[in-house]
C-alpha cells in the first residue's frame, strides 16, 4: 500500500513518481528531527514513541522504493533517467541511515542524562537548538532540490551543508571553552553534547547528499570525495 500511488503513475511519469516516494521518506525524517528537537531540547521525552513509529515508516517506505526502483530499471529507461533512478535509490539509503542514527544514538540521551542527573547548560541548549533548526531547514531545501533537480538549488544545498560543518565546529569550540571555564552543566553533559553535534553534522551530510547528484560532476566531485573521509562512529 505504501507504493500504490507510485505504481499508478509508473506508466506516465515513472521517475517523477519515484521522486515523490523519496520525498515522503525525506518528510518523515524531517518529522523525526522535529520530534528529536522537542525531546532533547524542549524536555518532551514522550516524543520518543513518535520517533520509533516514524522510523518504522521510513523502513517500510525504503523497501517500497527499492522494489519500485528495480521495477523501473526493467522499463527501458534512457541513460539520464537511469542515472536519476540510481541517485534516488542511493539517496533513499542515506535517509534510512539518518533515521537509524536518530533512533540508535539520540533516542537514549534523555533517559541517560536523567538517570545520571545531567543537563545541558543554557548556552549549550541554545546552540543545539540552533543546529537542529538549521538541519530542519536543510531538510526543507533538500525537498526543493529533489523535486526541481536544478543545479542552482543544489549548489545552495551543498553550501548549506558546508555551513553546517562550520557551525558544528564552532559549537564544539564553544563547548570546550565552557569546560575550561568550569561551567558545571557543560562538564556533566559534555559527552552527550559532543555526540549530538557529531550526529547532527553526519545527518546533515546524508540529507544534503542529493545535491551532489544534481550538480555537474566537475563541480561536486572534490567536495564529495572530502566528505567520504568522514567516518561516523557506530
Amino acid at each position: 500500500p505504501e507504493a500504490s500511488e507510485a505504481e499508478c503513475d509508473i506508466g506516465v511519469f515513472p521517475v517523477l513518481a519515484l521522486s515523490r516516494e523519496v520525498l515522503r521518506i525525506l518528510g518523515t525524517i524531517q518529522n523525526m528531527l522535529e520530534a528529536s528537537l522537542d525531546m532533547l531540547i524542549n524536555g518532551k521525552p514522550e516524543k520518543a514513541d513518535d520517533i520509533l513509529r516514524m522510523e518504522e515508516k521510513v523502513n517500510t517506505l525504503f523497501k517500497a522504493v527499492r522494489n519500485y526502483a528495480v521495477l523501473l530499471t526493467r522499463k527501458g529507461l534512457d541513460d539520464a533517467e537511469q542515472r536519476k533512478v540510481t541517485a534516488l535509490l542511493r539517496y533513499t539509503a542515506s535517509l534510512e541511515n539518518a533515521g537509524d542514527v536518530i533512533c540508535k544514538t539520540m533516542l537514549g540521551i534523555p533517559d541517560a542524562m536523567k538517570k545520571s542527573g545531567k543537563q545541558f547548560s543554557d548556552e549549550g541548549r541554545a546552540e543545539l537548538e540552533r543546529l537542529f533548526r538549521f538541519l530542519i531547514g536543510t531538510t526543507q531545501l533538500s525537498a526543493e532540490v529533489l523535486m526541481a533537480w536544478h543545479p542552482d538549488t543544489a549548489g545552495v544545498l551543498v553550501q548549506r551543508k558546508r555551513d553546517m560543518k562550520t557551525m558544528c565546529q564552532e559549537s564544539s569550540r564553544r563547548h570546550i571553552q565552557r569546560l575550561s571555564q568550569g561551567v558545571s552543566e557543560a562538564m556533566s553533559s559534555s559527552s552527550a553534547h559532543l555526540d549530538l553535534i557529531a550526529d547532527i553534522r553526519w545527518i546533515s551530510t546524508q540529507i544534503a547528499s542529493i545535491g551532489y547528484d544534481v550538480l555537474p560532476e566537475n563541480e561536486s566531485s572534490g567536495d564529495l570525495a572530502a566528505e567520504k573521509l568522514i567516518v561516523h562512529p557506530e
Side-chain angles (χ1 to χ4, degrees):
E2 292 288 357
S4 58
E5 181 181 346
E7 288 168 353
C8 291
D9 290 341
I10 190 170
V12 184
F13 303 110
V15 180
L16 177 60
L18 180 63
S19 298
R20 285 207 298 262
E21 294 301 295
V22 177
L23 190 63
R24 292 174 66 189
I25 298 177
L26 181 60
T28 306
I29 294 294
Q30 179 179 332
N31 291 337
M32 290 176 71
L33 290 171
E34 290 169 345
S36 297
L37 171 62
D38 276 340
M39 178 184 69
L40 293 164
I41 308 302
N42 298 328
K44 298 181 179 180
E46 67 274 10
K47 291 291 182 177
D49 291 337
D50 295 337
I51 294 171
L52 287 172
R53 283 193 293 269
M54 286 186 278
E55 170 67 358
E56 291 180 3
K57 180 179 179 180
V58 167
N59 291 336
T60 299
L61 286 170
F62 172 69
K63 293 175 183 177
V65 166
R66 182 178 57 194
N67 292 337
Y68 180 45
V70 170
L71 181 62
L72 278 182
T73 61
R74 299 170 181 167
K75 294 292 181 177
L77 301 176
D78 61 32
D79 289 345
E81 289 175 324
Q82 185 63 59
R83 285 194 298 271
K84 188 170 183 179
V85 168
T86 301
L88 290 171
L89 186 57
R90 183 168 55 243
Y91 185 52
T92 304
S94 295
L95 294 178
E96 188 199 28
N97 289 336
D100 286 343
V101 167
I102 294 172
C103 285
K104 289 178 180 178
T105 63
M106 292 186 179
L107 211 56
I109 289 176
D111 279 345
M113 293 184 69
K114 183 178 181 180
K115 288 177 181 177
S116 57
K118 298 176 181 178
Q119 61 181 354
F120 296 117
S121 67
D122 291 341
E123 296 88 347
R125 186 180 295 106
E127 288 173 14
L128 289 170
E129 180 175 4
R130 179 168 175 257
L131 292 176
F132 262 108
R133 295 198 182 282
F134 193 86
L135 179 56
I136 291 168
T138 298
T139 306
Q140 294 168 339
L141 181 58
S142 296
E144 295 181 28
V145 172
L146 190 61
M147 297 310 295
W149 211 260
H150 194 280
D152 288 349
T153 313
V156 176
L157 178 62
V158 170
Q159 181 57 51
R160 189 177 179 91
K161 187 269 302 179
R162 295 172 184 149
D163 292 342
M164 173 63 89
K165 174 183 176 181
T166 301
M167 290 169 64
C168 287
Q169 290 173 334
E170 179 62 20
S171 183
S172 296
R173 186 193 65 78
R174 285 196 294 264
H175 178 72
I176 292 171
Q177 185 177 49
R178 287 193 294 274
L179 290 178
S180 68
Q181 294 170 347
V183 178
S184 58
E185 291 90 347
M187 296 179 72
S188 68
S189 66
S190 182
S191 178
H193 187 106
L194 294 175
D195 284 349
L196 270 176
I197 291 174
D199 289 340
I200 288 171
R201 181 183 168 190
W202 190 86
I203 292 170
S204 173
T205 298
Q206 304 311 303
I207 290 174
S209 63
I210 192 63
Y212 295 110
D213 285 303
V214 179
L215 284 173
E217 184 175 353
N218 62 338
E219 294 183 26
S220 64
S221 57
D223 196 65
L224 182 57
E227 283 299 334
K228 288 180 179 179
L229 298 176
I230 297 177
V231 178
H232 188 272
E234 293 296 335

